[in-house]
Amino acid sequence: MASTGAVPFWRAAGMTYITYSNICANLVRNCLKEPHKTEALSREKVHFSLSKWSEGKPEKPRLLLVH
């Protein structure tokens, strides 16, 4: 049974919680004073690798950077 209680405003605005959280994090980072702002902005980048699998074995991974 679905609840008819209050809905979080981010959901009512059609956002996911991750989108809302990213917007809030960006606002906080941009409000910081130097040198903390530069440090926080540098931690914002995410590195990960992606490997395709064929015949049960991974191919050479590719390093990706997301801003």
Side-chain angles (χ1 to χ4, degrees):
M1 177 185 273
S3 173
T4 59
V7 176
F9 73 90
W10 50 267
R11 185 164 303 208
M15 288 189 229
T16 64
Y17 182 75
I18 297 297
T19 304
Y20 164 72
S21 177
N22 285 336
I23 290 169
C24 292
N26 285 331
L27 288 170
V28 170
R29 284 187 210 104
N30 288 325
C31 290
L32 294 172
K33 293 181 180 179
E34 291 298 337
H36 306 292
K37 183 176 184 176
T38 305
E39 292 174 20
L41 289 172
S42 70
R43 287 191 304 263
E44 180 181 22
K45 298 175 185 155
V46 177
H47 295 84
F48 66 96
S49 64
L50 178 67
S51 296
K52 289 187 179 184
W53 286 69
S54 64
E55 299 178 10
K57 295 183 181 181
E59 295 177 1
K60 185 176 179 180
R62 292 184 305 148
L63 182 62
L64 302 170
L65 172 65
V66 178
H67 293 263

